[in-house]
Amino acid sequence: MSSTILICGKSISELFYESLIAEDRWQLYLKGMANTLVMSLLAILIGVLIGLSIAVIKNVHINTGKLTILDKICNLYVTLIRGIPMMLQLSIMYFIVFASGEPVIVAAIAFGINSGAYVAEIFRAGILSVDKGQMEAGRSLGVSYGKTMAKIIIPQALKNSIPPLGNEFIALIKETAIVGGIAIVDLTKAANNIGKATAEYFIPLIIAAIFYLVIVIALTQLMKFIERRLSRSDKR
């Protein structure tokens, strides 16, 4: 009596062959992974620029009372982004705002704008984690508020913000799985397309999950390496 596990009348090895090797389907996963990484990287860069700008504006407003209008705009932005589902934001950007744009770039912009609202809080917490004496010391030496922020406070805040930024990047990579709704072939969409071709979804989805897991593990190790390097520099 055979102990081979069969799914839809085929062995696991046969299903893996059909889902990965046959017709060079592995290339679809690589294309999907490339699109996922490009979208995520561009999105986190956009999110960092937006988030850092918002964090600085809000910090300046709290400490000096200036930039009131910009502070209100930032508050409105954060409220809207947090209150609207990501899939809806993506659809608005793809079908309305950039109706004729490159889908991967449009998705990256949409995710970046969304990420900016959350990265802003990460940077704001990073700025608050810097001892207030740092600002007072800079100002007492005659350095302007802006230069003190740029040269003393923000570099330390960025260092303190790296661990949560790494978590945000990892979450962003997984969140991009919804882009199949606007016809972008990411890892999840590639697995679904292969599932349709082979009439069996289990193995393609498992393969996609393994790809995601490898990416997340690699990023986690990279973040740990960066944190170790930063901790060493702090001890010097």
Side-chain angles (χ1 to χ4, degrees), residues 9 189 195:
K189 184 69 173 180

Side-chain angles (χ1 to χ4, degrees), residues 159-207:
K159 184 183 291 186
N160 295 338
S161 300
I162 285 178
L165 275 177
N167 293 333
E168 171 66 16
F169 190 27
I170 290 172
L172 192 59
I173 287 175
K174 292 184 288 186
E175 194 173 30
T176 58
I178 66 173
V179 297
I182 59 171
I184 294 177
V185 180
D186 70 320
L187 267 174
T188 303
K189 184 69 173 180
N192 285 327
N193 288 344
I194 292 171
K196 290 179 182 178
T198 61
E200 198 286 312
Y201 285 87
F202 179 71
I203 298 300
L205 291 176
I206 290 296
I207 293 173

Side-chain angles (χ1 to χ4, degrees), residues 39 43 80-94 106-118 168 171-172 174-179 182:
M39 284 186 294
L80 289 175
I81 293 300
R82 289 186 170 186
I84 300 174
M86 185 60 230
M87 189 64 214
L88 184 55
Q89 293 179 41
L90 184 62
S91 297
I92 291 172
M93 295 293 286
Y94 181 74
V106 173
I109 293 172
F111 281 107
I113 292 173
N114 178 269
S115 181
Y118 298 93
E168 171 66 16
L172 192 59
K174 292 184 288 186
E175 194 173 30
T176 58
I178 66 173
V179 297
I182 59 171

Side-chain angles (χ1 to χ4, degrees), residues 20-86:
L20 190 62
I21 307 301
E23 300 180 19
D24 292 330
R25 291 189 173 120
W26 57 271
Q27 294 182 5
L28 295 177
Y29 292 106
L30 292 183
K31 179 182 177 181
M33 183 175 69
N35 286 338
T36 294
L37 291 176
V38 168
M39 284 186 294
S40 301
L41 182 58
L42 289 176
I44 199 65
L45 291 175
I46 294 170
V48 165
L49 290 175
I50 294 174
L52 183 58
S53 299
I54 291 175
V56 171
I57 289 171
K58 294 181 74 65
N59 185 266
V60 170
H61 176 70
I62 291 171
N63 291 324
T64 68
K66 299 178 180 179
L67 307 180
T68 301
I69 294 177
L70 287 177
D71 180 68
K72 291 184 181 297
I73 292 173
C74 290
N75 288 335
L76 177 62
Y77 161 79
V78 171
T79 300
L80 289 175
I81 293 300
R82 289 186 170 186
I84 300 174
M86 185 60 230

